[in-house]
Amino acid sequence: MHIPLVAMTADKGAAVTGSASGEVSDTFAFTIWLHKEAVIRALSVELDQCDYANALTQQQREVRLSEIGRDRLRAEREEAALVWHAQAQGDAIEHRSDERHAGVEHVVVITR
């Protein structure tokens, strides 16, 4: 059986001198694996007790997700534009490594 490892780091202000990091076994994942059937039963009971009267219809959900996607893309493009502007001003800045490509699609052809 493989138990995944999780990274541990000390937050700033924690009672640690210097910095600390390491990996430990993911005890939460192990506990869920160990008690899988009990967890499924407990979650099923919770789901059965949910009030779905205010839940979105599938169509409403699709509209909301589309709006979220559009807003996210706009924010990513604005962020990318700010990075390009800062680069044009000579600032040492790069796009975030986790930035989605859709937000930073920008091609400039320079001919000399």
Side-chain angles (χ1 to χ4, degrees):
M1 177 181 83
H2 171 72
I3 301 173
L5 298 176
V6 292
M8 286 183 45
T9 58
D11 292 330
K12 292 193 184 311
V16 175
T17 302
S19 63
S21 65
E23 291 183 340
V24 295
S25 294
D26 188 346
T27 55
F28 180 72
F30 176 73
T31 303
I32 298 299
W33 172 82
L34 186 63
H35 302 288
K36 179 180 176 181
E37 297 303 322
V39 170
I40 291 172
R41 278 194 306 274
L43 289 174
S44 294
V45 168
E46 290 295 321
L47 289 171
D48 290 342
Q49 295 174 357
C50 286
D51 176 18
Y52 293 103
N54 295 319
L56 297 174
T57 65
Q58 181 62 29
Q59 183 179 3
Q60 291 169 322
R61 185 180 188 312
E62 289 172 6
V63 168
R64 296 272 177 94
L65 288 172
S66 175
E67 291 169 352
I68 291 168
R70 184 193 64 228
D71 293 345
R72 179 180 175 184
L73 181 58
R74 181 177 44 236
E76 290 170 347
R77 287 179 174 163
E78 288 173 3
E79 179 184 355
L82 290 170
V83 171
W84 290 319
H85 178 73
Q87 289 173 338
Q89 300 299 315
D91 293 334
I93 186 171
E94 293 295 328
H95 295 280
R96 291 182 293 115
S97 62
D98 65 338
E99 202 165 23
R100 293 189 323 156
H101 294 290
V104 295
E105 290 175 351
H106 179 75
V107 177
V108 177
V109 178
I110 299 174
T111 59
R112 295 187 185 188

